[in-house]
Amino acid sequence: MNKSEKLIRSCCEGVSYLGDIQDNLPNEKELSGISNIFKALGDSTRIKILYALLDYEICVGEMVNVLELEQSYVSHQLRVLKKYGIVDFKKDKKMSFYYIKDEYIKELLKVLLKENKE
C-alpha cells in the first residue's frame, strides 16, 4: 500500500461503512474467476509457463525445450492453465500454439515479477 493512501476506518461500534463495503465486494462469478487465477498460479511450473508466454505463442514441443521437462508433464500443466481460463491455443496444421488469453494476466505477472525483484 502506498504510504500516502489513507484508508477509511469502519467499525461496528462507531462509524460503519458496512453497506459500502458489501456493495464493493465482487460477486460470486467474479470471485470464482479470481480464485481460478490464484489456483493456476499455485504451481511454480505453471508460473514459469506463463512467463514464457508473456511475449510468445509457443507450441508444446518448444515449451518442453524451454522448461527441460517431460512432454506429458508440460501438457498436463497447459491443460490446467486452459481449464482455469488463463491460456488458450491456436491450431496451425498439426501444431497447437499456446498463448495467454487476457492482457490483465500479463500485467499481473509483470507487476508480481517487478515487486519481487525490488
Side-chain angles (χ1 to χ4, degrees), residues 41-110:
L41 296 176
D43 178 271
S44 61
T45 299
R46 289 194 295 268
I47 295 170
K48 200 173 196 179
I49 288 169
L50 291 172
Y51 278 109
L53 292 172
L54 275 178
D55 296 313
Y56 300 92
E57 290 181 349
I58 305 174
C59 72
V60 176
E62 187 78 336
M63 188 63 77
V64 166
N65 294 333
V66 168
L67 300 175
E68 299 177 337
L69 295 169
E70 294 293 321
Q71 187 271 330
S72 60
Y73 183 69
V74 171
S75 291
H76 170 74
Q77 298 305 328
L78 286 165
R79 276 193 305 276
V80 170
L81 288 168
K82 184 164 179 6
K83 176 182 98 171
Y84 288 132
I86 308 297
V87 302
D88 207 350
F89 64 90
K90 296 177 187 171
K91 284 282 206 186
D92 187 1
K93 299 179 179 127
K94 62 181 183 172
M95 303 298 288
S96 295
F97 289 86
Y98 283 83
Y99 62 94
I100 296 174
K101 283 175 57 175
D102 296 305
E103 194 62 36
Y104 75 90
I105 297 293
K106 292 181 179 185
E107 293 304 315
L108 175 63
L109 291 166
K110 290 174 186 175

